[in-house]
Amino acid sequence: MVEYKGLDGLPEEIDPYFGIAKLDEQLKGIPSKKIVLISASPSVGNEVFGYQIISKNVNSNVKTVVFLNRTSPQSYLTEMKEYDLPSNNNLVIIDAYSGITGIKSDETDHVRVIDNPYDKEEVKSKIVSELKKGYGLLVIDSLSLLIDFFDFDYVNSLVAAIKKSIEENDSAAVFLFTDWGYEKESLQKLSSNSNSTIEIKGIEKRVIFGQYFAVLNCDWLESKQGFSAVLFKAMKPGGIKVYFPKILVTGPTDAGKSSFIHSASKNAVSVDKLGGTIALDHGNVDFEGYRADLFGTPGQERFDPLLKMLGGEAIGVFLVVDSTKPEQFPRAIEMLRKTETYGLPVVVVANKSDLEGALGKEEIREKLHLDSNITLIQTFAQDLSKVDPNEPTKLKEAGIHEALSALFKQLT
Ligand SMILES: Nc1nc2c(ncn2[C@@H]2O[C@H](COP(=O)(O)OP(=O)(O)O)[C@@H](O)[C@H]2O)c(=O)[nH]1
Ligand SMILES: [Mg+2]
C-alpha cells in the first residue's frame, strides 16, 4: 500500500481520515462525533470510497467497525485487497449479509453476525452495542440497502441512535448511500442528520466518461461550504485518485521535458518521429493520492499548431527551461504567454540547475519576467555522471515532487 500523506503532509492530530486526496486536505479528516454521508448516483460505485477510508484508518491504528449488508465479509476483504487497500485486525465487521443468503456464518474476533437481518431491533442494537466497545470510526455499507430492506422512517431512527452513540463514544461515522431516486423530502432529512454530504456522480453522455466527487456541505468547516467537483478515478490497484486528465509539459528544445515526464511518471512512453529529434511523450503520474496524465510537446517553433491543439484541452502546464540557456528564454516567454491566453495554471521548472553556469532562481525569474504568483521550481539530474547527451535523464525526486505539488495545488 502506498503511504498517502497529502500534498502538504497530513497533520498528526486528524483521525479518522478519509485517506483520499483533496478530502483530507480540505476537510481535515473526519472529526469525532461527525457523520459523513457519501451519496452516489446509481451509475457510479461508492464502495471504493469505503475501502479506502477503512484501509487508511485501520492502518493508522484507528479501530473501525463496518456494518455490511451488501456482500459477505470474505468478499469485502478480498475486494479491499484487490484495490491494494488492505485491512488488518483493527477492523470488525458486523455481518448483516450472511443471514440474508441463509449461509450460516460464525462469529469470530472480527466478525459479529446478525442472525436475522430483517429484524429491525437486532440490527439497531447490534450496531449500538458494538459502538460501546470503543471505535474511532463506523462505516455503513450500505445505507440505501437498509432503506430498501426497511423504510426511511426506520433508517432515520437508526441514524439518530447512531448519532447519539457516536457522540457518547467519541467515534465518527461514514454512510455509503446510493440514490436510487428516493423522495426528496426523505433525502433532505437524511442529509440534515449528517454533518457533511459528499456527492459522487458520473459525467454521462450515454457512456460514462468521467466521475467526480463534490462536497455539498460540511458543518465543521468555517465556511460551512463544500467545494466544487473534483474528477477522480477508482483504480485497481490504487483506489480513489483525484484525476487530472491532461497536463502539458512544454518548453524549448533539450530543456528536459522528456526527462521531466519520465522522472515524474511510472510508465512514460515516447513516440519518436524523424529519428528521435521530435518526440511526443506521455506518462501517468501517481503522487500523494493524485493521478495525472502528462503530455509533452515538442519545443520546435513549427509545432505551434500542435501546442495549440494539445493546449486546448489541457488544464495545467509545466514549462521546462534549461537554466544554462538564457538565449532560449524568449522562446519560453512566448510559450508562457500562450498558456496565459488559455488561462492555464503554470509552474515553471528550471532544469539543469546542476550544471556549471546555471542561473539562480531570482535571475531566471527576472529574465523570464515571471509574475510573483507564478511558482518556479529548480530541478536537476539525479546523477550527473549518468547523463547521456542523447537520452532523457532521471531527475532528482525532491524537485519533481515540489513541482507536482505546486501545480496540483493550483488545479484543485
Ligand atoms: N546535466 C543535466 N542534464 C540534463 C538534465 N535534464 C536533462 N538533461 C539532458 O539534456 C538532454 C535533453 O533532455 P530531454 O529531457 O530529452 O529534453 P527535451 O528536448 O526538452 O525533451 C538529454 O541529454 C538529457 O540527458 C539535468 O537536469 N541536468
Ligand atoms: Mg523530448
Side-chain angles (χ1 to χ4, degrees):
M1 185 181 140
V2 182
E3 186 51 27
Y4 151 79
K5 296 188 226 66
L7 294 180
D8 288 318
L10 296 177
E12 290 289 329
E13 65 273 20
I14 66 159
D15 66 61
Y17 303 89
F18 288 97
I20 296 168
K22 185 70 183 171
L23 288 179
D24 280 323
E25 288 147 18
Q26 297 285 317
L27 306 189
K28 308 282 179 242
I30 313 166
S32 67
K33 305 184 202 297
K34 298 289 186 188
I35 293 177
V36 177
L37 179 70
I38 299 186
S39 171
S41 65
S43 58
V44 293
N46 56 14
E47 66 278 357
V48 188
F49 282 75
Y51 301 151
Q52 190 140 337
I53 291 168
I54 290 168
S55 182
K56 175 66 197 172
N57 284 288
V58 295
N59 286 294
S60 315
N61 257 323
V62 178
K63 275 188 70 187
T64 301
V65 55
V66 54
F67 172 87
L68 187 61
N69 57 359
R70 181 176 58 79
T71 184
S72 71
Q74 281 77 13
S75 335
Y76 196 80
L77 296 174
T78 306
E79 271 242 327
M80 283 183 73
K81 220 178 278 168
E82 282 169 12
Y83 279 97
D84 194 23
L85 298 166
S87 183
N88 62 23
N89 280 338
N90 287 319
L91 181 67
V92 166
I93 297 178
I94 301 178
D95 175 9
Y97 180 80
S98 302
I100 308 171
T101 62
I103 299 162
K104 188 95 187 80
S105 159
D106 293 323
E107 296 251 338
T108 68
D109 281 353
H110 297 284
V111 178
R112 315 275 182 261
V113 177
I114 293 191
D115 294 317
N116 181 4
Y118 298 93
D119 179 346
K120 292 179 174 175
E121 282 319 306
E122 190 189 349
V123 169
K124 193 183 282 179
S125 66
K126 266 262 162 61
I127 296 175
V128 170
S129 65
E130 193 61 39
L131 280 171
K132 286 197 180 118
K133 296 177 189 166
Y135 287 92
L137 180 67
L138 160 74
V139 174
I140 292 196
D141 187 356
S142 91
L143 197 71
S144 28
L145 269 175
L146 270 173
I147 295 165
D148 300 341
F149 249 68
F150 303 120
D151 50 65
F152 243 112
D153 282 346
Y154 168 74
V155 168
N156 278 328
S157 79
L158 178 68
V159 168
I162 289 172
K163 195 172 187 129
K164 186 162 170 272
S165 181
I166 63 167
E167 277 168 7
E168 283 164 11
N169 297 291
D170 258 333
S171 9
V174 171
F175 299 156
L176 298 178
F177 174 82
T178 301
D179 184 359
W180 295 103
Y182 302 100
E183 275 179 28
K184 247 205 165 118
E185 217 171 286
S186 311
L187 287 177
Q188 263 160 6
K189 182 134 195 226
L190 189 61
S191 195
S192 66
N193 278 328
S194 314
N195 302 93
S196 175
T197 302
I198 299 170
E199 181 183 67
I200 306 176
K201 285 198 163 168
I203 304 167
E204 300 172 46
K205 239 183 189 164
R206 273 182 291 167
V207 293
I208 300 173
F209 53 89
Q211 300 180 333
Y212 67 87
F213 64 78
V215 175
L216 298 186
N217 54 65
C218 179
D219 73 1
W220 64 87
L221 289 184
E222 218 163 287
S223 67
K224 309 276 184 233
Q225 304 246 303
F227 54 80
S228 54
V230 184
L231 283 178
F232 74 90
K233 269 192 168 183
M235 320 246 319
K236 204 181 210 177
I240 306 291
K241 308 279 180 191
V242 172
Y243 179 47
F244 303 128
K246 195 178 229 173
I247 293 177
L248 223 56
V249 180
T250 188
T253 308
D254 271 349
K257 301 176 295 294
S258 301
S259 301
F260 183 84
I261 291 173
H262 284 259
S263 306
S265 343
K266 278 186 307 191
N267 318 306
V269 289
S270 301
V271 184
D272 288 337
K273 286 179 194 165
L274 308 181
T277 49
I278 300 149
L280 265 175
D281 301 296
H282 172 247
N284 308 125
V285 176
D286 206 340
F287 176 64
E288 294 298 347
Y290 291 79
R291 153 99 190 199
D293 282 8
L294 300 184
F295 291 86
T297 69
Q300 287 84 349
E301 206 84 42
R302 61 189 178 282
F303 283 96
D304 274 357
L306 190 63
L307 178 73
K308 205 169 189 173
M309 189 188 86
L310 287 164
E313 296 160 22
I315 58 164
V317 176
F318 288 110
L319 177 67
V320 186
V321 297
D322 181 336
S323 307
T324 66
K325 287 202 182 137
E327 66 274 19
Q328 287 185 329
F329 285 8
R331 174 75 183 127
I333 291 169
E334 193 191 320
M335 288 169 153
L336 209 53
R337 297 273 175 274
K338 277 192 182 129
T339 65
E340 264 169 15
T341 61
Y342 292 117
L344 295 173
V346 59
V347 164
V348 177
V349 176
N351 191 38
K352 305 198 190 187
S353 55
D354 54 350
L355 290 179
E356 210 171 309
L359 301 179
K361 247 178 153 170
E362 282 317 307
E363 226 170 332
I364 296 174
R365 291 199 76 96
E366 207 169 293
K367 286 195 155 57
L368 286 176
H369 314 299
L370 284 192
D371 268 7
S372 57
N373 60 351
I374 293 181
T375 310
L376 179 138
I377 307 286
Q378 285 177 304
T379 54
F380 52 90
Q382 186 173 297
D383 186 346
L384 200 50
S385 70
K386 283 192 188 145
V387 174
D388 176 335
N390 299 309
E391 287 294 331
T393 196
K394 178 116 182 103
L395 303 179
K396 201 156 160 75
E397 196 175 70
I400 296 282
H401 284 182
E402 234 186 304
L404 292 174
S405 190
L407 187 62
F408 289 2
K409 277 187 213 165
Q410 292 180 51
L411 293 179
T412 61

